[in-house]
Amino acid sequence: MSQRTPAPDPGMQPSWEAVAASALPLAMVDHATGDLLQVNPAYAQARGYTPEEMVGMNLGRVLGPSMAFRLEEIRRNLESQGHLVFETVNVRKDGSTFPVLVDATLVRDPGGAPRTRIVYARDITEIKKAEGARQKSAAFLRTLLDTLPDLIWLKDPEGVYLECNPRFERFFGAPKGEILGRTDYDFVDKALADFFRDQDRRALATGRPTVNEEEITFRDDGHRESLETIKTPILGPDGRPIGVLGIGRDITDRKRAEDQLRISEEKYHKAFHNSPLLASLSRLEDGLILEVNDRYCQMLGFQREEVVGRTSVELGVFEPEVRGRMIAALERSRSVQNLELPIRSRDGQVIPCLFFAEPFHAGGERFLLVMALDNRERRTAEELQRKLDAERNQMQKLDSLGSLASGVAHDMNNVLGAIQAMTETVAAHVAGDPFLADRFALIERACARGRDLVKGLTHFARKDLREPEWLDLNAMVAEEMDLLARTTLQKVHLVMDLEPSLPKVMGEGGTLSSALMNLCVNAVDAMPGGGTLTLRTRTVPPGTVEVHVEDSGEGMSEGVLARAMEPFFTTKPIGKGTGMGLSMAYATLKAHGGNLSIRSAPGQGTRVTLSLPAGTGGQAPAPAAPSAPPSPGPLRILLVDDDPLILSTIPDLLEVLGHAVATASNGPAALARIGSGDDLDLVILDLNMPGMNGVETLKGLRRLRPRLPVLLATGFLDEATGELLERDGRALSILKPFSKAHLARRITEITALGS
């Protein structure tokens, strides 16, 4: 039994009449005997009696045997104090007990002697139950505080510790008894204590929980932890803060994981956004785009905000069928590697790309990381490589053909040279007969025609020009057009589209004209039922002149186009074509430092483009004509050639020119004759002879006669021979087959050089 003695108001002398009608459980007790004099209904009902049954009953019966012995102690204390408040137990009529809170006031008579007591005895069963529950809760809370891995503490508004748990004790390195009643300044340095105090004040000021992260060192063993600290203000009944509850949770592992995740995310972010590849992140289920990188936006012409939240199909980047192919590839292989698919940019441009895709799971959903490489450059490079390979193969074929052609050309040149020489020799003797003169002139033109054909063959073997000069392509095209107008019998409509002030080009007019005529004949043959042939000239930056030969004919299939420039390949019937026209034209353009290309498709005609380097400065001025050297007098000439036709015909032509001629059929015979002391003015030396060739013979000759003039006769002048002539200083070339006029001019030039 506990007793409490709150000070009563001495001026108050309560009487039964004043309080009997109260709803509170009240009773009047005889102080001397302890008998109940009066009870109100509330008091009697709480104990299971009527008021009448309880009047005269002794308090010992109400208190029960376990408490009756205390009646005397209560009486004495009440007499001395006048007022008592204490807890005890009452017994009901049915014998059950219940706890009560007794508030007893002593009433004295006018003389001051104790007379009665007014007793208020409240049933506190529910209060006791609540108290028990609170005690259990407190015990549970205590256990919880002691076992939680978090740091937990309670401070008053001034920062004084009121409570803490064992985990917090480790932080300060002190037992709870030494912590309570003290502040942070007693355990940590001032800077950290100030920080803790500021956080306390912030929570108290806002009236709401505050959260912060802090790094602390435990004093018990010195280890460090990262804490997430929550400080919650505790409010009193009036709503004002009466303390701060703190909870500190160890987030060291979380922080470490967050740091690793942050580093990983930074790496991913940099790799994703700075990648030179197009990259996107989307939901696999519906293709909804969640993120794209800068390259995606640059390449496809979108802003990021326009892309995120939509699908590639909605944007028009993927056709549904194309995305279906990627999904199908994923289902087969679980990832995509080097899958070429087309995508479409915002402006409608179709871009071939190589795709790489990897699906992954996150948060219960499936996502797809896609990266794509713009394949245009690789395709362009591959196409260029294919063209280079095709061109190299073409050149190898032409080189092989050139080796054959140069041998054939040598023999043909000798045949043509013999015919030319004999024709001009005989013509000189019958100059007075017009009929014969006309016939011989016709033979000479035939020889010139044959010479041009042989020139075309030798283009397969050489990479430079024999006799280059500035050419007006517009004039050449106009001349060819005039010839075509006379020969096509108006079955083909001719169109000429020439660019004014077209720059001149450096080249050989005969071979270029022959190439152009070949192309025009092919164009006419491609239009057996008639059509339009257009010849066009254009200047193309930087520094290129083009001639277009364009027909509206049948066109070529892809397979025919791929082989069009192969030597001997033709689609014409037997007897209608040799298959050499395009390949000879190609070789001619290459020898001029240019190119020949063909664009054609079935039913859409064909355009052949001849590209040539333009002369610098636009129209190149014609070189000033050199003054002609004086014709030499009769010369003693040694003709060296292995071909009997040449040895049988050229001497007669030289004699017509007034010279004396000796012959030698090979290099050793020529050197023997020169070494014997023959008085010679000039040697005409064949370059291509079996055994000791012309170059070797020239070297031997120079040892015998260093200053003797020499004409090297050849149908093909290669780079090495040209360099030899430049070093020699007293040798010139003469190209087979040569006419009488050309031979006379070169003799004059070499004689002047020798002198």
Side-chain angles (χ1 to χ4, degrees), residues 7 601 604 617 671:
Q604 298 183 23
L671 294 179

Side-chain angles (χ1 to χ4, degrees), residues 36 149 158 190 266 309 454 460 462 479-480 637 648 656 667 684:
L36 293 170
E158 302 305 319
K190 184 177 183 303
E266 287 178 357
V454 172
F460 287 123
R462 63 190 178 89
E479 183 178 342
E480 296 299 328
I637 299 174
S648 300
V656 169
I684 300 177

